[in-house]
Amino acid sequence: MRYWTGKRVLVTGACRGLGLVITKELLSLGARVVIHSNSTPLPNEDMVLKALENGQALHVRADLCSTSEINAMMSVVLAGFGEIDGVIHNAGISAYGSFLETSESTFQQVMNTNLYGVIALTKAALPSLIKTQGSILFISSLAAIHGVPNYLSYSVSKAALVPLQEALELELKPHAVHVGLIYLGFVENDEHKYSLSADGGKIPVPKRNIRTKITKERAAKKVLWAIEYKKRKVYGDFSGRLMRFINGIFPGVLRGLLSKNQNKT
Ligand SMILES: NC(=O)c1ccc[n+]([C@@H]2O[C@H](COP(=O)([O-])OP(=O)(O)OC[C@H]3O[C@@H](n4cnc5c(N)ncnc54)[C@H](OP(=O)(O)O)[C@@H]3O)[C@@H](O)[C@H]2O)c1
């Protein structure tokens, strides 16, 4: 039997962006998917609607900034699917603005979504993941390798996932739960992708013309590969390994590049 057939996987932020592509890839591989979203309605796509109709998928809603919503969501997931074999922590938000300008509430929203929400959901899902000897996959970023000016809250939240993965992996080893992390570089954006401004408003993220950008399909396949082969830490593409190398050998070069590009969104 193929690895994903019948696996019950919760994908956060699954109604748009990379999360939606991961969801479709999982459905096509025969997995059962818990499609989580917060504010985005279900996509009007045949594959997703059909899966919801025939029980291959389940749609749940929760604001990851709310532990009570996360716990209520997990009850619905367990009532619907029995147990869960994997959680892909895909949902995330970034904020653009200097440390000086960024309000505390914006900083908190980013930390709550990208870190505390991830922790709360991991806690809520863990008893089930222990039973199924399942997988947890954190989606981090190159912004975790070195702090990125004007994206400080995002960098801090994504960097914090690194020790979370490292320590959890060791703690959960006796339970045979896999814990992995992927450092994604630039992935193509949805047209309506937004980040937060310093005061918490929504600002559109422009289409990126970056040479190292990868497609959402390629990023999704790498995420699923990391789970199937129980990888600890992987890079979405070559740019991550390059950044890690430069940071290790020529940290001044990386600091120079980040400093030069710090006003780009
Ligand atoms: N795109 C890139 O270049 C890139 C690079 C490195 C890492 N990443 C990471 O990859 C992941 C996906 O990126 P993406 O580009 O697909 O992002 P995106 O298009 O901006 O989508 C973000 C997702 O996060 C969900 N979300 C945000 N705040 C939430 C909250 N408070 N509660 C629940 N869900 C919330 C959204 O759900 P709703 O729409 O339902 O609110 C949405 O589905 C993120 O973790 C991101 O940091 C992306």
Side-chain angles (χ1 to χ4, degrees):
M1 198 169 74
R2 290 185 315 168
Y3 177 81
W4 289 105
T5 310
K7 286 269 192 298
R8 296 152 294 185
V9 188
L10 165 57
V11 183
T12 64
C15 285
R16 63 183 173 97
L18 176 59
L20 177 57
V21 177
I22 293 173
T23 294
K24 290 196 288 187
E25 184 69 20
L26 280 168
L27 290 174
S28 71
L29 291 167
R32 301 183 70 195
V33 185
V34 181
I35 302 173
H36 157 268
S37 68
N38 180 30
S39 53
T40 301
L42 274 167
N44 192 16
E45 297 204 23
D46 279 354
M47 182 192 225
V48 173
L49 299 176
K50 213 170 130 198
L52 287 161
E53 228 174 76
N54 68 21
Q56 194 190 352
L58 178 70
H59 178 229
V60 292
R61 232 217 95 247
D63 181 349
L64 294 179
C65 297
S66 160
T67 305
S68 59
E69 288 193 23
I70 290 171
N71 291 337
M73 170 180 86
M74 235 11 248
S75 303
V76 175
V77 171
L78 297 179
F81 274 8
E83 301 293 348
I84 195 89
D85 300 285
V87 176
I88 301 178
H89 291 286
N90 164 77
I93 186 85
S94 65
Y96 179 76
S98 70
F99 183 71
L100 204 58
E101 296 165 331
T102 302
S103 67
E104 203 185 328
S105 66
T106 301
F107 219 104
Q108 272 166 355
Q109 188 178 338
V110 175
M111 295 301 289
N112 286 340
T113 309
N114 298 358
L115 179 61
Y116 296 116
V118 166
I119 290 171
L121 176 56
T122 302
K123 257 190 168 298
L126 200 49
S128 183
L129 291 168
I130 288 174
K131 282 190 208 150
T132 59
Q133 303 191 332
S135 270
I136 300 165
L137 201 278
F138 300 119
I139 299 198
S140 186
S141 155
L142 301 193
I145 295 174
H146 190 292
V148 179
N150 288 315
Y151 283 97
L152 188 48
S153 54
Y154 183 71
S155 268
V156 170
S157 66
K158 291 295 184 180
L161 297 177
V162 177
L164 185 61
Q165 182 278 328
E166 291 169 347
L168 257 189
E169 183 202 347
L170 299 179
E171 283 191 24
L172 296 180
K173 210 170 174 177
H175 299 286
V177 174
H178 161 244
V179 187
L181 176 143
I182 183 164
Y183 294 96
L184 283 183
F186 290 104
V187 181
E188 66 181 2
N189 287 339
D190 266 12
E191 204 185 325
H192 302 295
K193 182 179 165 90
Y194 63 86
S195 78
L196 300 178
S197 59
D199 62 5
K202 288 182 181 177
I203 44 173
V205 176
K207 212 167 171 204
R208 289 159 167 158
N209 291 317
I210 296 166
R211 239 179 300 156
T212 57
K213 180 180 69 178
I214 62 169
T215 62
K216 284 179 273 191
E217 284 70 22
R218 189 167 153 203
K221 280 189 183 356
K222 195 74 191 259
V223 166
L224 299 190
W225 174 84
I227 296 174
E228 183 171 349
Y229 293 97
K230 306 216 176 315
K231 299 290 176 189
R232 271 188 199 112
K233 282 188 202 152
V234 295
Y235 295 94
D237 66 310
F238 176 70
S239 62
R241 278 189 296 276
L242 182 64
M243 186 167 169
R244 168 76 75 204
F245 174 78
I246 297 175
N247 193 35
I249 310 283
F250 308 111
V253 172
L254 184 61
R255 279 200 299 276
L257 283 170
L258 290 169
S259 176
K260 199 172 131 200
N261 290 299
Q262 64 178 289
N263 293 320
K264 289 191 183 160
T265 52

